[in-house]
Amino acid sequence: MDCWIASFPRSGNTYFRNILYYVYGIESSTWHKESAYPVDEGYDSFRFVKTHLQPHELEPADPSIPAIYLVRDGRDAVVSIAHHRSDLVMPGSDYMHNLKEAIVAAEGSFFGGWSENVKSWVNRAQLIIKYEDLIADPKATFKRVEALIPLPAPNWDNLPTFEQMKSGKPKYGGTSKLVDPKFDKEEFAGKFFRKGRKGSWKTEMPPDIQDLFWNYHGSMLETLGYETIEGSIGQTPLLDYKAMQLLGLEVPPKYTRKRKVVIESAKLTQMSADGVKRYLIHLLKGFEEVINHGAPGWEFELLIGKRFLPFERFRHIIKPDVDELLNYEKVLMGIKKVIRLLLPEFIYNKGASIYRNTDARVLLKRVQRKQSVEKELNLFHEFELKKMSVDLIHIPLPQNVTHLQAVQHKFLVTVHDLTHESHPQFHEKHNIALSEEGMELIRQKNIDVIAVSNSTANDIQKFAHLRQDKIHLVYESADKELFRRNINEGLSTMIRTKYKIGDTPYFLCLSTIEPRKNLPNTIKAFNKLLKEHPELRVNLVISGNFGWKTEHLSRELYLDNPHIIFTGYVEDADLSVLYSDALALCYISMYEGFGLPPLEAMSCRTPVIYGNNSSMTEIIGSCGLAADPENLDQIKEHMYKLATDNSFREELAQKAYRHSFTFSQRRTVYETLKVYESLINKN
């Protein structure tokens, strides 16, 4: 075998093979894992072998075998797949249903989904060919193929036109063993090749489905340089260096200059996932893609306490080793069996009931997580930071500057809010003291800072008195791996059952439960809503860990209301379902430096009722409903409007959804790297 020809389905692979056959006289074969028909005998003896599978599924798996990846605008590809299923594979099946399934690609279906399939091959291929270029100028495109794989002299006069292929006579694409045998060869080919044009998604994909595709695959469209939406970060060498090289595009050499950034990452070791930890994780995930696809000049390392961790190990910290956790569960199950054998059944059942209804499981998970993190960190030695060659140290929380005050390297600190100054009543004394100490060091050392919103930038100038040129605005973003609109009804039912939510429509509150989040007024407004409108069938679901200064909640509020459901901590993987199913997110906070939950909700196509203050008016604006945090009637009326006016809610949900795309993780990473560059290039 000389070369793999890989692609996501309906991306030009068949046309490419016909060119090989008619122009160069080269036959090709196929490698697949379809159970409906056997693998071609001797497929690996052919020079070229087609596949839609991802690299890890190949046989032979030899990485030295070159690979050409054919890519098409994913929107055109899934439109073609949906028609292909409706016309040939599952005749009469619903086109729109097929289209949604192909976009979401649940549980790795559709060869991993368009962007995942592309991403895996960008890491493996030696050459990427755009379908659009292949169709427009096959001769020029195959010059690139000839530079990779020696080919015989071509005869382009032999290439049939696209219309001739549709007539039922091509070597490849004229028949298939997977479709209904009632189709004759000519009819099948006509349906198989369809239009072959670019941009058909604009007329065949409704606007809301275009938004769904962008929600799932927008970043990869940008990476490959396809048409984007307003506010996107288009293709740039800083983020897409590898893809641009594989596409044959020229990249300036300046993007290969070496720069080393150390990222202070103590937050990763904490069990709770507050806003700062989420910010850090989102940033690290973005940098991971920069390493895989971006400019090769960037080098990142993590600093946790006094120990350095290779950058690629950050996922092992946030998600401990699965095998280790499974072994831990086996030990617990073994202990459980022994206890069950030793204790009388009535005593065991009573104890088991107590165990299930307390936080014992959570505590055990915390103990195991701490052990796992410590084990991970102990694999690495302590280093002397003062002697290291480092271009920049990025600290994601001002309080942590104090641990590095003796170090003379160049610093950058992210400031999320200054509520210890503007709203000290919402904080405990020790946190105020740590925050003040951190900000004082920033002033003394003249350190540059990232502000996550204009509101925070203004507060930094007001309270910390930093010069404007020392403040860099970089908005946060929702985690694209986690926060996508869920349209899987089966998954929705499963998650609702898991958290005992039921099928009643609900408003969602999601945050660490502490005074600044204004949960009491949200509950009071909800109780008032039900009192004035007893006919409403609606619940209030409250999710999140208890933070500080919450002792008064149970005393002041009527929490025995059956329409109020406390879920406690919600796993990250389940959040998108809770958001997607909610009537709205109620986030009527007294103050936010940025406010990630509203953006996460909007990314799941859920409108937000929010506090009309600080960064929230800046981030959400007219794409949500603003309320005075102290005005119970206003909060109540917003709830009533969204619970009873379906057309209004639908309009607001779509507006919020589209607005969320302007706060992409890609933009956050790009603008952060630009700040890194500007600071490193100084002096």
Side-chain angles (χ1 to χ4, degrees):
M1 184 194 305
D2 285 354
C3 187
W4 291 102
I5 318 168
S7 73
F8 188 72
R10 315 297 294 172
S11 298
N13 212 315
T14 300
Y15 185 57
F16 186 95
R17 295 176 71 195
N18 279 315
I19 293 176
L20 281 175
Y21 179 74
Y22 289 107
V23 176
Y24 293 92
I26 297 174
E27 291 195 43
S28 55
S29 188
T30 302
W31 164 244
H32 56 79
K33 285 188 174 181
E34 298 287 353
S35 59
Y37 65 97
V39 174
D40 294 351
E41 187 175 349
Y43 73 90
D44 55 350
S45 64
F46 287 76
R47 291 192 65 191
F48 290 85
V49 180
K50 162 196 169 179
T51 187
H52 295 314
L53 300 172
Q54 295 185 61
H56 68 274
E57 300 175 291
L58 299 181
E59 293 181 20
D62 185 354
S64 67
I65 299 174
I68 296 170
Y69 189 71
L70 293 156
V71 67
R72 183 183 189 183
D73 186 319
R75 293 161 290 198
D76 280 335
V78 297
V79 162
S80 186
I81 284 175
H83 279 298
H84 186 70
R85 285 167 69 87
S86 299
D87 295 343
L88 295 173
V89 179
M90 300 169 60
S93 59
D94 183 69
Y95 165 75
M96 289 302 299
H97 177 76
N98 293 338
L99 187 57
K100 290 178 182 178
E101 279 197 339
I103 292 171
V104 174
E107 299 179 1
S109 60
F110 291 89
F111 303 95
W114 181 75
S115 55
E116 192 59 38
N117 193 279
V118 174
K119 187 198 304 186
S120 67
W121 279 105
V122 169
N123 288 330
R124 169 67 173 83
Q126 281 70 42
L127 185 65
I128 295 178
I129 293 174
K130 281 188 173 182
Y131 169 85
E132 296 80 6
D133 296 337
L134 179 64
I135 295 295
D137 193 346
K139 290 183 182 180
T141 300
F142 263 81
K143 288 292 184 184
R144 298 179 62 214
V145 177
E146 291 170 359
L148 178 68
I149 304 291
L151 297 176
N155 183 351
W156 286 100
D157 292 336
N158 285 346
L159 180 64
T161 66
F162 198 81
E163 287 304 315
Q164 287 173 327
M165 291 187 198
K166 289 186 71 171
S167 70
K169 299 178 182 179
K171 171 69 174 178
Y172 302 105
T175 60
S176 175
K177 299 173 184 177
L178 283 181
V179 302
D180 195 320
K182 71 182 180 183
F183 293 110
D184 62 36
K185 187 174 182 180
E186 186 170 338
E187 183 184 6
F188 173 81
K191 290 179 178 290
F192 181 90
F193 285 102
R194 292 192 70 248
K195 300 176 182 178
R197 294 197 300 265
K198 70 175 184 178
S200 61
W201 61 270
K202 295 178 182 179
T203 57
E204 298 189 69
M205 186 182 278
D208 63 316
I209 304 301
Q210 292 179 29
D211 288 345
L212 181 69
F213 188 93
W214 188 268
N215 190 211
Y216 277 75
H217 307 290
S219 180
M220 189 54 69
L221 286 173
E222 293 170 301
T223 296
L224 295 172
Y226 283 111
E227 182 179 333
T228 60
I229 64 173
E230 186 179 351
S232 299
I233 294 293
Q235 192 176 59
T236 164
L238 202 59
L239 301 178
D240 312 315
Y241 184 92
K242 189 171 184 180
M244 293 177 73
Q245 280 195 317
L246 295 177
L247 285 164
L249 303 175
E250 286 191 27
V251 183
K254 69 175 184 177
Y255 289 100
T256 60
R257 188 170 65 80
K258 289 291 183 184
R259 290 149 296 185
K260 183 169 184 177
V261 178
V262 170
I263 303 168
E264 193 280 321
S265 303
K267 267 285 180 181
L268 294 183
T269 65
Q270 295 184 4
M271 181 70 177
S272 60
D274 61 10
V276 178
K277 182 177 178 180
R278 284 192 179 281
Y279 165 82
L280 177 59
I281 291 173
H282 300 174
L283 207 55
L284 296 180
K285 285 181 177 179
F287 291 159
E288 184 177 52
E289 291 202 11
V290 168
I291 291 171
N292 291 334
H293 306 303
W298 291 104
E299 182 182 351
F300 302 101
E301 196 158 9
L302 309 183
L303 176 64
I304 300 179
K306 293 183 178 180
R307 284 172 286 191
F308 283 95
L309 199 66
F311 176 82
E312 64 272 13
R313 304 296 294 182
F314 82 89
R315 285 188 181 268
H316 294 259
I317 295 292
I318 61 177
K319 191 174 183 180
D321 185 79
V322 174
D323 291 334
E324 187 173 323
L325 290 176
L326 287 176
N327 289 333
Y328 182 69
E329 291 292 333
K330 287 178 182 177
V331 171
L332 287 180
M333 291 302 293
I335 295 172
K336 180 179 177 181
K337 285 182 179 178
V338 172
I339 293 173
R340 186 160 198 164
L341 288 171
L342 294 175
L343 293 178
E345 187 172 352
F346 77 94
I347 295 178
Y348 174 83
N349 289 339
K350 188 171 183 179
S353 176
I354 294 171
Y355 174 76
R356 283 192 297 270
N357 291 304
T358 64
D359 290 333
R361 288 179 177 178
V362 175
L363 291 172
L364 287 171
K365 283 184 179 179
R366 286 182 176 176
V367 169
Q368 176 58 13
R369 172 175 170 73
K370 184 176 180 182
Q371 291 173 348
S372 179
V373 168
E374 285 299 318
K375 182 178 178 181
E376 183 73 33
L377 289 176
N378 286 334
L379 295 175
F380 303 96
H381 301 292
E382 293 187 11
F383 291 96
E384 183 57 64
L385 183 57
K386 294 179 184 178
K387 299 176 183 177
M388 286 187 67
S389 176
V390 175
D391 292 298
L392 183 68
I393 300 173
H394 184 183
I395 304 174
L397 186 66
Q399 288 91 316
N400 293 357
V401 177
T402 57
H403 306 310
L404 299 169
Q405 56 183 300
V407 177
Q408 297 304 311
H409 289 294
K410 192 174 291 185
F411 286 95
L412 173 68
V413 180
T414 298
V415 179
H416 298 268
D417 63 61
L418 269 76
T419 52
H420 71 283
E421 293 271 16
S422 62
H423 297 78
Q425 69 273 24
F426 296 148
H427 291 274
E428 295 182 323
K429 289 182 179 179
H430 76 278
N431 185 56
I432 294 174
L434 286 172
S435 299
E436 287 181 346
E437 185 179 358
M439 292 306 299
E440 181 58 33
L441 280 170
I442 288 171
R443 281 190 291 268
Q444 289 177 6
K445 289 178 171 285
N446 199 29
I447 295 173
D448 283 71
V449 301
I450 284 177
V452 296
S453 66
N454 267 313
S455 173
T456 294
N458 292 335
D459 281 354
I460 292 171
Q461 284 188 283
K462 178 180 178 181
F463 295 108
H465 308 296
L466 294 188
R467 296 199 320 265
Q468 192 166 2
D469 66 312
K470 305 295 287 184
I471 304 169
H472 309 272
L473 174 64
V474 180
Y475 285 118
E476 294 190 51
S477 57
D479 190 329
K480 66 178 183 179
E481 290 183 8
L482 293 174
F483 302 108
R484 296 169 172 173
R485 177 188 174 192
N486 174 60
I487 59 173
N488 185 330
E489 293 181 4
L491 180 60
S492 174
T493 299
M494 184 178 74
I495 298 302
R496 280 171 170 261
T497 301
K498 178 178 178 178
Y499 294 101
K500 301 177 181 178
I501 293 173
D503 60 0
T504 302
Y506 64 88
F507 293 103
L508 177 67
C509 291
L510 179 71
S511 67
T512 300
I513 300 172
E514 45 103 342
R516 181 164 54 92
K517 303 303 181 182
N518 195 33
L519 183 60
N521 281 351
T522 303
I523 295 174
K524 289 174 183 176
F526 178 73
N527 285 334
K528 193 170 186 181
L529 172 72
L530 293 187
K531 185 176 180 181
E532 294 181 11
H533 302 280
E535 76 285 356
L536 281 183
R537 182 173 173 266
V538 64
N539 288 339
L540 179 66
V541 174
I542 300 172
S543 300
N545 289 324
F546 278 82
W548 52 92
K549 296 188 176 182
T550 57
E551 302 83 2
H552 65 290
L553 282 182
S554 58
R555 295 194 304 268
E556 294 181 5
L557 304 172
Y558 299 102
L559 300 183
D560 56 348
N561 185 339
H563 294 284
I564 298 177
I565 301 168
F566 282 88
T567 67
Y569 175 74
V570 174
E571 294 183 36
D572 283 351
D574 301 336
L575 283 173
S576 63
V577 176
L578 289 191
Y579 279 134
S580 298
D581 281 7
L583 291 169
L585 173 72
C586 296
Y587 204 79
I588 311 152
S589 178
M590 296 291 189
Y591 185 97
E592 290 294 330
F594 182 85
L596 269 175
L599 185 55
E600 293 168 354
M602 292 192 294
S603 299
C604 297
R605 203 174 178 276
T606 299
V608 181
I609 303 173
Y610 65 94
N612 62 351
N613 57 67
S614 57
S615 66
M616 291 182 288
T617 56
E618 174 187 348
I619 305 304
I620 307 166
S622 63
C623 297
L625 296 177
D628 180 345
E630 301 286 1
N631 190 330
L632 301 186
D633 285 328
Q634 192 176 26
I635 299 170
K636 176 205 67 179
E637 288 305 317
H638 287 336
M639 288 180 173
Y640 182 75
K641 180 74 171 174
L642 290 172
T644 59
D645 191 336
N646 289 335
S647 61
F648 173 77
R649 185 200 170 277
E650 181 67 17
E651 181 183 339
L652 190 62
Q654 187 65 23
K655 194 175 179 182
Y657 193 41
R658 180 157 272 270
H659 183 59
S660 72
F661 300 154
T662 62
F663 296 91
S664 70
Q665 184 181 37
R666 179 181 170 88
R667 177 178 286 278
T668 301
V669 170
Y670 174 76
E671 293 181 350
T672 301
L673 290 177
K674 295 299 284 184
V675 175
Y676 288 178
E677 275 194 328
S678 69
L679 296 184
I680 291 170
N681 291 339
K682 279 184 180 179
N683 302 322

